[in-house]
Amino acid sequence: MPTRHRFALGAVLLGLLLPFLDAQAASMRLGNVMSGTMIHKDVQSIRERRFENIVEQKTDFSCGAASLATIFRYAYQKPSVTEESVLAGMLEVADPELVRQQGFSLLDLKHYVEELGYRGRGYEVAPQTLDEVSIPVIVLLDLEGYKHFVVMKKASGDRVYVGDPALGNRVMDREAFMDAWNNIIFAVVGEGFDPGTVLLDPRQPLTAHRMQDVFAPVPKQKLLDFGFRHADLF
């Protein structure tokens, strides 16, 4: 191939790849796909895709705060909630010395959400009924000795969909999840919950097997089973 042709091809490829290399979403323009047309396509970087609909933790001990912020922002339609605001509020209701030594606990999360007028409910869930958890909840995982809060979006078949504030969206093998989980879920209950939250509709793996995970809104009876009141649903 002549040098000028290789240079032209390289320039075209670089132009196509630049939006993906950027850390921010962008609109990509494709010209001359059809004569006289210009196509605009929104694209995401890999990092944006990984942390889509998740509040990323910024410190080693703020996974609980980031998980709560994720629940409030994407399940309770509070886009102004940040990891920093939740962290500041949790420090006001927690024992600072214990936080320095051990990090935040589920009890700290419960005290914080109740200060905001919500209810924090902890449930012990049998492994065989994990698929019946029909709202996004916070769980504590033991990852090789490191205790880490994440958002469990849903479980289906051999997969558990997790919003990890440190690693982003991921799909865990059910057996691996069970090995790391303590069988406790923490649910935030209160007015303003969105039964159609995006947290219950995670992106699917690019396989035909994903068709078994078709999303459906949470029925009101399921919400009542998890501690919501009739007044919360209307």
Side-chain angles (χ1 to χ4, degrees), residues 159-198:
R159 303 194 295 275
V160 180
Y161 296 83
V162 168
D164 188 324
L167 301 176
N169 290 298
R170 58 196 187 108
V171 182
M172 294 185 66
D173 176 79
R174 179 183 287 262
E175 184 176 348
F177 179 86
M178 292 297 181
D179 288 343
W181 178 48
N182 62 0
N183 289 23
I184 301 295
I185 63 173
F186 178 79
V188 178
V189 178
E191 185 176 353
F193 177 76
D194 177 13
T197 169
V198 294

mmCIF file of all heavy atoms in Angstrom, residues 159-198:
data_model
loop_
_atom_site.group_PDB
_atom_site.id
_atom_site.type_symbol
_atom_site.label_atom_id
_atom_site.label_comp_id
_atom_site.label_asym_id
_atom_site.label_seq_id
_atom_site.Cartn_x
_atom_site.Cartn_y
_atom_site.Cartn_z
ATOM 1 N N ARG A 159 -25.871 -16.023 37.731
ATOM 2 C CA ARG A 159 -25.208 -14.728 37.752
ATOM 3 C C ARG A 159 -25.808 -13.802 38.811
ATOM 4 O O ARG A 159 -27.008 -13.851 39.078
ATOM 5 C CB ARG A 159 -25.301 -14.053 36.381
ATOM 6 C CG ARG A 159 -24.722 -14.883 35.251
ATOM 7 C CD ARG A 159 -24.530 -14.064 34.004
ATOM 8 N NE ARG A 159 -25.770 -13.585 33.439
ATOM 9 C CZ ARG A 159 -26.541 -14.274 32.606
ATOM 10 N NH1 ARG A 159 -26.196 -15.509 32.270
ATOM 11 N NH2 ARG A 159 -27.631 -13.763 32.109
ATOM 12 N N VAL A 160 -24.956 -12.952 39.369
ATOM 13 C CA VAL A 160 -25.397 -11.905 40.293
ATOM 14 C C VAL A 160 -24.846 -10.588 39.757
ATOM 15 O O VAL A 160 -23.636 -10.448 39.544
ATOM 16 C CB VAL A 160 -24.892 -12.153 41.731
ATOM 17 C CG1 VAL A 160 -25.377 -11.027 42.651
ATOM 18 C CG2 VAL A 160 -25.381 -13.505 42.250
ATOM 19 N N TYR A 161 -25.729 -9.634 39.534
ATOM 20 C CA TYR A 161 -25.349 -8.342 38.970
ATOM 21 C C TYR A 161 -25.024 -7.375 40.103
ATOM 22 O O TYR A 161 -25.863 -7.114 40.973
ATOM 23 C CB TYR A 161 -26.481 -7.788 38.099
ATOM 24 C CG TYR A 161 -26.756 -8.638 36.892
ATOM 25 C CD1 TYR A 161 -27.577 -9.763 36.971
ATOM 26 C CD2 TYR A 161 -26.185 -8.334 35.660
ATOM 27 C CE1 TYR A 161 -27.828 -10.560 35.866
ATOM 28 C CE2 TYR A 161 -26.426 -9.123 34.543
ATOM 29 C CZ TYR A 161 -27.249 -10.228 34.653
ATOM 30 O OH TYR A 161 -27.487 -11.025 33.554
ATOM 31 N N VAL A 162 -23.817 -6.835 40.075
ATOM 32 C CA VAL A 162 -23.300 -6.042 41.183
ATOM 33 C C VAL A 162 -22.850 -4.675 40.677
ATOM 34 O O VAL A 162 -22.223 -4.571 39.623
ATOM 35 C CB VAL A 162 -22.107 -6.778 41.847
ATOM 36 C CG1 VAL A 162 -21.365 -5.871 42.809
ATOM 37 C CG2 VAL A 162 -22.597 -8.031 42.571
ATOM 38 N N GLY A 163 -23.195 -3.646 41.449
ATOM 39 C CA GLY A 163 -22.649 -2.314 41.230
ATOM 40 C C GLY A 163 -21.568 -2.078 42.273
ATOM 41 O O GLY A 163 -21.875 -1.798 43.430
ATOM 42 N N ASP A 164 -20.324 -2.240 41.875
ATOM 43 C CA ASP A 164 -19.202 -2.152 42.796
ATOM 44 C C ASP A 164 -18.627 -0.737 42.744
ATOM 45 O O ASP A 164 -18.139 -0.306 41.693
ATOM 46 C CB ASP A 164 -18.133 -3.175 42.384
ATOM 47 C CG ASP A 164 -17.000 -3.306 43.386
ATOM 48 O OD1 ASP A 164 -16.614 -2.286 43.976
ATOM 49 O OD2 ASP A 164 -16.497 -4.434 43.564
ATOM 50 N N PRO A 165 -18.666 0.024 43.846
ATOM 51 C CA PRO A 165 -18.177 1.404 43.799
ATOM 52 C C PRO A 165 -16.679 1.515 43.538
ATOM 53 O O PRO A 165 -16.195 2.595 43.190
ATOM 54 C CB PRO A 165 -18.545 1.960 45.181
ATOM 55 C CG PRO A 165 -18.703 0.768 46.055
ATOM 56 C CD PRO A 165 -19.210 -0.333 45.173
ATOM 57 N N ALA A 166 -15.946 0.415 43.682
ATOM 58 C CA ALA A 166 -14.508 0.446 43.397
ATOM 59 C C ALA A 166 -14.189 -0.071 42.004
ATOM 60 O O ALA A 166 -13.298 0.443 41.329
ATOM 61 C CB ALA A 166 -13.745 -0.383 44.434
ATOM 62 N N LEU A 167 -14.907 -1.094 41.535
ATOM 63 C CA LEU A 167 -14.585 -1.755 40.271
ATOM 64 C C LEU A 167 -15.602 -1.506 39.168
ATOM 65 O O LEU A 167 -15.358 -1.860 38.018
ATOM 66 C CB LEU A 167 -14.437 -3.264 40.490
ATOM 67 C CG LEU A 167 -13.359 -3.690 41.485
ATOM 68 C CD1 LEU A 167 -13.383 -5.202 41.678
ATOM 69 C CD2 LEU A 167 -11.981 -3.234 41.029
ATOM 70 N N GLY A 168 -16.747 -0.940 39.523
ATOM 71 C CA GLY A 168 -17.767 -0.665 38.522
ATOM 72 C C GLY A 168 -18.771 -1.798 38.375
ATOM 73 O O GLY A 168 -18.864 -2.697 39.219
ATOM 74 N N ASN A 169 -19.530 -1.745 37.292
ATOM 75 C CA ASN A 169 -20.531 -2.777 37.030
ATOM 76 C C ASN A 169 -19.843 -4.096 36.715
ATOM 77 O O ASN A 169 -18.925 -4.147 35.901
ATOM 78 C CB ASN A 169 -21.398 -2.365 35.838
ATOM 79 C CG ASN A 169 -22.307 -1.206 36.158
ATOM 80 O OD1 ASN A 169 -23.170 -1.310 37.029
ATOM 81 N ND2 ASN A 169 -22.121 -0.086 35.483
ATOM 82 N N ARG A 170 -20.304 -5.145 37.356
ATOM 83 C CA ARG A 170 -19.752 -6.455 37.035
ATOM 84 C C ARG A 170 -20.784 -7.531 37.299
ATOM 85 O O ARG A 170 -21.750 -7.328 38.043
ATOM 86 C CB ARG A 170 -18.471 -6.736 37.808
ATOM 87 C CG ARG A 170 -18.550 -6.680 39.309
ATOM 88 C CD ARG A 170 -17.148 -6.584 39.900
ATOM 89 N NE ARG A 170 -17.119 -6.689 41.344
ATOM 90 C CZ ARG A 170 -16.666 -7.722 42.027
ATOM 91 N NH1 ARG A 170 -16.204 -8.787 41.383
ATOM 92 N NH2 ARG A 170 -16.650 -7.729 43.341
ATOM 93 N N VAL A 171 -20.568 -8.648 36.662
ATOM 94 C CA VAL A 171 -21.433 -9.812 36.838
ATOM 95 C C VAL A 171 -20.619 -10.876 37.536
ATOM 96 O O VAL A 171 -19.608 -11.339 37.009
ATOM 97 C CB VAL A 171 -21.961 -10.323 35.479
ATOM 98 C CG1 VAL A 171 -22.895 -11.516 35.701
ATOM 99 C CG2 VAL A 171 -22.665 -9.215 34.723
ATOM 100 N N MET A 172 -21.066 -11.268 38.732
ATOM 101 C CA MET A 172 -20.341 -12.274 39.493
ATOM 102 C C MET A 172 -20.970 -13.648 39.291
ATOM 103 O O MET A 172 -22.202 -13.772 39.182
ATOM 104 C CB MET A 172 -20.359 -11.930 40.988
ATOM 105 C CG MET A 172 -19.609 -10.677 41.354
ATOM 106 S SD MET A 172 -19.551 -10.393 43.164
ATOM 107 C CE MET A 172 -18.527 -11.794 43.711
ATOM 108 N N ASP A 173 -20.147 -14.649 39.227
ATOM 109 C CA ASP A 173 -20.645 -16.019 39.260
ATOM 110 C C ASP A 173 -21.346 -16.238 40.595
ATOM 111 O O ASP A 173 -20.856 -15.810 41.638
ATOM 112 C CB ASP A 173 -19.471 -16.982 39.096
ATOM 113 C CG ASP A 173 -19.894 -18.422 39.221
ATOM 114 O OD1 ASP A 173 -20.433 -18.963 38.252
ATOM 115 O OD2 ASP A 173 -19.686 -18.994 40.316
ATOM 116 N N ARG A 174 -22.499 -16.876 40.560
ATOM 117 C CA ARG A 174 -23.287 -17.031 41.787
ATOM 118 C C ARG A 174 -22.494 -17.729 42.891
ATOM 119 O O ARG A 174 -22.543 -17.328 44.052
ATOM 120 C CB ARG A 174 -24.573 -17.818 41.507
ATOM 121 C CG ARG A 174 -25.435 -18.035 42.763
ATOM 122 C CD ARG A 174 -26.646 -18.889 42.444
ATOM 123 N NE ARG A 174 -27.613 -18.141 41.670
ATOM 124 C CZ ARG A 174 -28.681 -17.544 42.203
ATOM 125 N NH1 ARG A 174 -28.890 -17.605 43.500
ATOM 126 N NH2 ARG A 174 -29.540 -16.902 41.444
ATOM 127 N N GLU A 175 -21.737 -18.738 42.534
ATOM 128 C CA GLU A 175 -20.974 -19.469 43.545
ATOM 129 C C GLU A 175 -19.929 -18.563 44.195
ATOM 130 O O GLU A 175 -19.742 -18.583 45.415
ATOM 131 C CB GLU A 175 -20.306 -20.687 42.911
ATOM 132 C CG GLU A 175 -19.569 -21.563 43.917
ATOM 133 C CD GLU A 175 -19.000 -22.816 43.294
ATOM 134 O OE1 GLU A 175 -19.372 -23.127 42.139
ATOM 135 O OE2 GLU A 175 -18.176 -23.490 43.957
ATOM 136 N N ALA A 176 -19.261 -17.747 43.391
ATOM 137 C CA ALA A 176 -18.268 -16.822 43.930
ATOM 138 C C ALA A 176 -18.931 -15.778 44.831
ATOM 139 O O ALA A 176 -18.384 -15.398 45.868
ATOM 140 C CB ALA A 176 -17.507 -16.143 42.792
ATOM 141 N N PHE A 177 -20.101 -15.312 44.421
ATOM 142 C CA PHE A 177 -20.835 -14.347 45.241
ATOM 143 C C PHE A 177 -21.216 -14.968 46.585
ATOM 144 O O PHE A 177 -21.048 -14.358 47.644
ATOM 145 C CB PHE A 177 -22.087 -13.874 44.505
ATOM 146 C CG PHE A 177 -22.926 -12.889 45.279
ATOM 147 C CD1 PHE A 177 -22.653 -11.524 45.225
ATOM 148 C CD2 PHE A 177 -23.987 -13.327 46.067
ATOM 149 C CE1 PHE A 177 -23.424 -10.612 45.944
ATOM 150 C CE2 PHE A 177 -24.754 -12.431 46.792
ATOM 151 C CZ PHE A 177 -24.470 -11.060 46.728
ATOM 152 N N MET A 178 -21.734 -16.179 46.542
ATOM 153 C CA MET A 178 -22.149 -16.858 47.772
ATOM 154 C C MET A 178 -20.972 -17.062 48.715
ATOM 155 O O MET A 178 -21.107 -16.940 49.934
ATOM 156 C CB MET A 178 -22.796 -18.210 47.440
ATOM 157 C CG MET A 178 -24.132 -18.098 46.730
ATOM 158 S SD MET A 178 -25.359 -17.279 47.742
ATOM 159 C CE MET A 178 -26.781 -17.358 46.649
ATOM 160 N N ASP A 179 -19.819 -17.371 48.170
ATOM 161 C CA ASP A 179 -18.638 -17.588 49.009
ATOM 162 C C ASP A 179 -18.217 -16.314 49.732
ATOM 163 O O ASP A 179 -17.653 -16.371 50.826
ATOM 164 C CB ASP A 179 -17.467 -18.093 48.153
ATOM 165 C CG ASP A 179 -17.667 -19.528 47.695
ATOM 166 O OD1 ASP A 179 -18.518 -20.233 48.275
ATOM 167 O OD2 ASP A 179 -16.969 -19.943 46.737
ATOM 168 N N ALA A 180 -18.487 -15.152 49.119
ATOM 169 C CA ALA A 180 -18.044 -13.878 49.690
ATOM 170 C C ALA A 180 -19.108 -13.186 50.536
ATOM 171 O O ALA A 180 -18.789 -12.281 51.311
ATOM 172 C CB ALA A 180 -17.606 -12.931 48.566
ATOM 173 N N TRP A 181 -20.349 -13.606 50.409
ATOM 174 C CA TRP A 181 -21.497 -12.914 51.011
ATOM 175 C C TRP A 181 -21.848 -13.530 52.360
ATOM 176 O O TRP A 181 -21.683 -14.732 52.575
ATOM 177 C CB TRP A 181 -22.667 -13.012 50.033
ATOM 178 C CG TRP A 181 -23.965 -12.405 50.468
ATOM 179 C CD1 TRP A 181 -24.166 -11.173 51.011
ATOM 180 C CD2 TRP A 181 -25.246 -13.016 50.370
ATOM 181 N NE1 TRP A 181 -25.489 -10.966 51.247
ATOM 182 C CE2 TRP A 181 -26.178 -12.088 50.868
ATOM 183 C CE3 TRP A 181 -25.703 -14.249 49.906
ATOM 184 C CZ2 TRP A 181 -27.548 -12.359 50.912
ATOM 185 C CZ3 TRP A 181 -27.046 -14.512 49.943
ATOM 186 C CH2 TRP A 181 -27.966 -13.574 50.446
ATOM 187 N N ASN A 182 -22.391 -12.686 53.274
ATOM 188 C CA ASN A 182 -22.764 -13.158 54.614
ATOM 189 C C ASN A 182 -24.251 -13.417 54.778
ATOM 190 O O ASN A 182 -24.759 -13.525 55.907
ATOM 191 C CB ASN A 182 -22.297 -12.157 55.677
ATOM 192 C CG ASN A 182 -22.966 -10.790 55.510
ATOM 193 O OD1 ASN A 182 -23.779 -10.588 54.603
ATOM 194 N ND2 ASN A 182 -22.608 -9.854 56.380
ATOM 195 N N ASN A 183 -24.996 -13.488 53.667
ATOM 196 C CA ASN A 183 -26.433 -13.771 53.644
ATOM 197 C C ASN A 183 -27.298 -12.626 54.180
ATOM 198 O O ASN A 183 -28.488 -12.817 54.446
ATOM 199 C CB ASN A 183 -26.778 -15.053 54.429
ATOM 200 C CG ASN A 183 -26.309 -16.310 53.728
ATOM 201 O OD1 ASN A 183 -25.401 -16.256 52.911
ATOM 202 N ND2 ASN A 183 -26.919 -17.433 54.040
ATOM 203 N N ILE A 184 -26.711 -11.441 54.347
ATOM 204 C CA ILE A 184 -27.462 -10.289 54.836
ATOM 205 C C ILE A 184 -27.593 -9.267 53.713
ATOM 206 O O ILE A 184 -26.617 -8.968 53.014
ATOM 207 C CB ILE A 184 -26.769 -9.615 56.049
ATOM 208 C CG1 ILE A 184 -26.608 -10.619 57.190
ATOM 209 C CG2 ILE A 184 -27.538 -8.386 56.501
ATOM 210 C CD1 ILE A 184 -27.919 -11.097 57.785
ATOM 211 N N ILE A 185 -28.805 -8.721 53.528
ATOM 212 C CA ILE A 185 -29.003 -7.609 52.601
ATOM 213 C C ILE A 185 -29.493 -6.412 53.393
ATOM 214 O O ILE A 185 -30.147 -6.551 54.432
ATOM 215 C CB ILE A 185 -30.007 -7.952 51.475
ATOM 216 C CG1 ILE A 185 -31.400 -8.226 52.060
ATOM 217 C CG2 ILE A 185 -29.518 -9.132 50.653
ATOM 218 C CD1 ILE A 185 -32.482 -8.407 51.013
ATOM 219 N N PHE A 186 -29.153 -5.218 52.917
ATOM 220 C CA PHE A 186 -29.595 -3.982 53.558
ATOM 221 C C PHE A 186 -30.393 -3.179 52.541
ATOM 222 O O PHE A 186 -29.884 -2.828 51.475
ATOM 223 C CB PHE A 186 -28.395 -3.167 54.043
ATOM 224 C CG PHE A 186 -28.772 -1.850 54.675
ATOM 225 C CD1 PHE A 186 -29.233 -1.810 55.986
ATOM 226 C CD2 PHE A 186 -28.667 -0.667 53.963
ATOM 227 C CE1 PHE A 186 -29.584 -0.600 56.571
ATOM 228 C CE2 PHE A 186 -29.013 0.541 54.536
ATOM 229 C CZ PHE A 186 -29.484 0.579 55.852
ATOM 230 N N ALA A 187 -31.660 -2.917 52.875
ATOM 231 C CA ALA A 187 -32.559 -2.215 51.967
ATOM 232 C C ALA A 187 -32.904 -0.842 52.523
ATOM 233 O O ALA A 187 -33.142 -0.689 53.721
ATOM 234 C CB ALA A 187 -33.841 -3.024 51.755
ATOM 235 N N VAL A 188 -32.909 0.145 51.651
ATOM 236 C CA VAL A 188 -33.386 1.484 51.996
ATOM 237 C C VAL A 188 -34.847 1.556 51.596
ATOM 238 O O VAL A 188 -35.203 1.305 50.445
ATOM 239 C CB VAL A 188 -32.577 2.572 51.267
ATOM 240 C CG1 VAL A 188 -33.122 3.959 51.603
ATOM 241 C CG2 VAL A 188 -31.102 2.470 51.641
ATOM 242 N N VAL A 189 -35.699 1.884 52.549
ATOM 243 C CA VAL A 189 -37.141 1.865 52.334
ATOM 244 C C VAL A 189 -37.703 3.247 52.623
ATOM 245 O O VAL A 189 -37.391 3.842 53.663
ATOM 246 C CB VAL A 189 -37.818 0.826 53.261
ATOM 247 C CG1 VAL A 189 -39.328 0.843 53.069
ATOM 248 C CG2 VAL A 189 -37.258 -0.565 52.999
ATOM 249 N N GLY A 190 -38.535 3.761 51.715
ATOM 250 C CA GLY A 190 -39.145 5.054 51.963
ATOM 251 C C GLY A 190 -39.820 5.628 50.740
ATOM 252 O O GLY A 190 -39.858 5.019 49.667
ATOM 253 N N GLU A 191 -40.354 6.807 50.909
ATOM 254 C CA GLU A 191 -41.105 7.474 49.854
ATOM 255 C C GLU A 191 -40.177 7.863 48.703
ATOM 256 O O GLU A 191 -39.038 8.283 48.918
ATOM 257 C CB GLU A 191 -41.765 8.732 50.418
ATOM 258 C CG GLU A 191 -42.675 9.456 49.450
ATOM 259 C CD GLU A 191 -43.372 10.640 50.087
ATOM 260 O OE1 GLU A 191 -43.236 10.800 51.315
ATOM 261 O OE2 GLU A 191 -44.033 11.398 49.354
ATOM 262 N N GLY A 192 -40.694 7.712 47.496
ATOM 263 C CA GLY A 192 -39.942 8.134 46.321
ATOM 264 C C GLY A 192 -39.205 7.026 45.600
ATOM 265 O O GLY A 192 -38.537 7.297 44.599
ATOM 266 N N PHE A 193 -39.320 5.783 46.063
ATOM 267 C CA PHE A 193 -38.634 4.690 45.373
ATOM 268 C C PHE A 193 -39.199 4.525 43.969
ATOM 269 O O PHE A 193 -40.414 4.544 43.761
ATOM 270 C CB PHE A 193 -38.794 3.390 46.149
ATOM 271 C CG PHE A 193 -38.164 2.200 45.459
ATOM 272 C CD1 PHE A 193 -36.797 2.021 45.474
ATOM 273 C CD2 PHE A 193 -38.951 1.274 44.780
ATOM 274 C CE1 PHE A 193 -36.211 0.936 44.828
ATOM 275 C CE2 PHE A 193 -38.377 0.191 44.148
ATOM 276 C CZ PHE A 193 -37.002 0.023 44.173
ATOM 277 N N ASP A 194 -38.312 4.344 43.009
ATOM 278 C CA ASP A 194 -38.693 4.164 41.608
ATOM 279 C C ASP A 194 -38.689 2.682 41.263
ATOM 280 O O ASP A 194 -37.615 2.094 41.124
ATOM 281 C CB ASP A 194 -37.711 4.925 40.714
ATOM 282 C CG ASP A 194 -38.008 4.731 39.228
ATOM 283 O OD1 ASP A 194 -39.101 4.225 38.899
ATOM 284 O OD2 ASP A 194 -37.147 5.096 38.406
ATOM 285 N N PRO A 195 -39.876 2.063 41.111
ATOM 286 C CA PRO A 195 -39.903 0.626 40.787
ATOM 287 C C PRO A 195 -39.243 0.299 39.454
ATOM 288 O O PRO A 195 -38.853 -0.842 39.224
ATOM 289 C CB PRO A 195 -41.403 0.302 40.746
ATOM 290 C CG PRO A 195 -42.058 1.390 41.533
ATOM 291 C CD PRO A 195 -41.226 2.612 41.288
ATOM 292 N N GLY A 196 -39.101 1.296 38.580
ATOM 293 C CA GLY A 196 -38.464 1.072 37.291
ATOM 294 C C GLY A 196 -37.015 1.528 37.266
ATOM 295 O O GLY A 196 -36.479 1.801 36.197
ATOM 296 N N THR A 197 -36.374 1.594 38.431
ATOM 297 C CA THR A 197 -34.997 2.075 38.519
ATOM 298 C C THR A 197 -34.059 1.350 37.559
ATOM 299 O O THR A 197 -34.173 0.130 37.369
ATOM 300 C CB THR A 197 -34.466 1.937 39.956
ATOM 301 O OG1 THR A 197 -33.051 2.171 39.979
ATOM 302 C CG2 THR A 197 -34.732 0.568 40.522
ATOM 303 N N VAL A 198 -33.112 2.098 37.017
ATOM 304 C CA VAL A 198 -32.142 1.495 36.094
ATOM 305 C C VAL A 198 -31.272 0.461 36.785
ATOM 306 O O VAL A 198 -30.654 -0.380 36.113
ATOM 307 C CB VAL A 198 -31.246 2.578 35.458
ATOM 308 C CG1 VAL A 198 -32.041 3.496 34.559
ATOM 309 C CG2 VAL A 198 -30.509 3.374 36.533
#
